[in-house]
Amino acid sequence: MNTTQRRYEIYEKLKKDKTVQVNELANQYCVSLMTIRRDLDILENQGLATKSYGGATLNESISAEPAFEIKEGMSQSDKKDIAIFASTLIQDGDSIYLDCGTTCLELFKRIHHKKITIFTNFWKILQYVDRNTKAKIIMAPGTYNPITQAALSESTIQFFQNYYIDKAFISVLGIDLDYGVSIPSMSDALVKKAILDSSNKKICLVDHTKFNKKYMSKIANVDDFDMVITDKQLKDDFQRENIKKAH
């Protein structure tokens, strides 16, 4: 098991049990106590956990957001299903926006061979450009955010205000039918709002684990999106005309 997968599993255990012990984790993963302490240091630095004597407790603050490496391990098969469904909405000639997020990265892997224009502030995407990439990729400027691996600043907002985009694919961490869609970071939320204002079709990509969650920075109401694409594991309790399940 690699380091990223271990940290993801530790974070998942924290979310479930609210607390973890260094000794137990070291035995479970057959690594040293120092290795587990470094893992917990990473989670604490991201605001996801608070270290205590011999372990750590979950930080349930609504302003905390996992780093990309941890989010990448969450609900992987569901995100791929969502990405496949979303890719069918994109045709040659489209201009689209791809948000910073693991589901949008999965979508990029499935569409970069199309003759389209991709606007993005998500620098991680550049790692997946190859000789088969036919898409024209336009990178937004701005201050790099290591948590999201994206450009997030006033210059990013100003950049998107100068364009009109056919379809925007937005990732979020929380969706509540009454409150709306939200994320922890205000700077990220302001960028997403600017993109929604500059886009014709607005599409939210969100797996079932994000439902019934609220974060500090609201982006929009659920009905502001033309489509909300989720996975088949979402319970039937969440009924809206614009919510579509990927199969």
Side-chain angles (χ1 to χ4, degrees), residues 7 37-48 70:
R7 288 173 181 167
R37 291 192 183 102
R38 282 197 295 266
D39 292 340
L40 296 180
D41 283 340
I42 294 295
L43 295 178
E44 184 173 54
N45 291 338
Q46 293 173 18
L48 303 174
I70 293 177

Side-chain angles (χ1 to χ4, degrees), residues 74-217:
M74 300 176 179
S75 306
Q76 288 178 311
S77 62
D78 296 328
K79 291 174 181 178
K80 289 178 181 178
D81 289 343
I82 293 169
I84 291 170
F85 185 99
S87 69
T88 65
L89 306 176
I90 301 169
Q91 293 80 39
D92 284 348
D94 280 346
S95 63
I96 70 166
Y97 166 75
L98 286 185
D99 203 1
C100 50
T102 53
T103 308
C104 283
L105 182 58
E106 290 296 332
L107 177 55
F108 177 80
K109 295 175 185 177
R110 288 159 176 81
I111 62 170
H112 67 91
H113 60 281
K114 295 186 178 185
K115 295 179 180 179
I116 58 178
T117 299
I118 298 175
F119 290 87
T120 188
N121 57 329
F122 188 25
W123 295 7
K124 181 78 173 179
I125 278 176
L126 295 179
Q127 296 181 17
Y128 294 85
V129 174
D130 59 31
R131 66 179 64 184
N132 295 318
T133 299
K134 295 180 181 178
K136 179 181 180 181
I137 302 172
I138 301 177
M139 298 297 299
T143 304
Y144 179 74
N145 181 295
I147 297 296
T148 60
Q149 298 195 18
L152 298 174
S153 61
E154 182 62 31
S155 59
T156 316
I157 294 171
Q158 292 173 356
F159 173 83
F160 284 114
Q161 289 172 340
N162 292 320
Y163 290 96
Y164 185 72
I165 300 169
D166 292 327
K167 299 164 186 174
F169 294 88
I170 302 293
S171 293
V172 299
L173 287 182
I175 178 168
D176 181 270
L177 296 186
D178 295 323
Y179 176 67
V181 297
S182 57
I183 53 176
S185 167
M186 177 58 73
S187 59
D188 195 2
L190 292 174
V191 170
K192 293 183 196 303
K193 287 179 180 180
I195 291 155
L196 291 177
D197 288 341
S198 300
S199 302
N200 181 25
K201 295 292 185 181
K202 304 163 181 59
I203 302 162
C204 182
L205 307 181
V206 54
D207 67 75
H208 73 281
T209 66
K210 309 298 194 310
F211 278 76
N212 269 348
K213 292 185 179 179
K214 303 177 186 177
Y215 288 89
M216 181 175 63
S217 301

Side-chain angles (χ1 to χ4, degrees), residues 6 17 40 45 135 238:
R6 185 182 64 248
D17 300 337
L40 296 180
N45 291 338
F238 299 96

Side-chain angles (χ1 to χ4, degrees), residues 1-62:
M1 177 182 296
N2 61 37
T3 300
T4 299
Q5 183 65 25
R6 185 182 64 248
R7 288 173 181 167
Y8 160 67
E9 290 189 4
I10 291 173
Y11 178 57
E12 286 294 295
K13 182 174 177 60
L14 258 177
K15 290 198 298 181
K16 178 182 178 182
D17 300 337
K18 311 302 182 185
T19 184
V20 292
Q21 298 298 316
V22 172
N23 288 336
E24 292 178 5
L25 293 174
N27 290 333
Q28 178 180 345
Y29 293 105
C30 300
V31 296
S32 68
L33 298 177
M34 184 61 68
T35 296
I36 296 299
R37 291 192 183 102
R38 282 197 295 266
D39 292 340
L40 296 180
D41 283 340
I42 294 295
L43 295 178
E44 184 173 54
N45 291 338
Q46 293 173 18
L48 303 174
T50 300
K51 289 180 67 179
S52 57
Y53 181 77
T57 56
L58 178 68
N59 180 3
E60 299 185 83
S61 167
I62 61 172

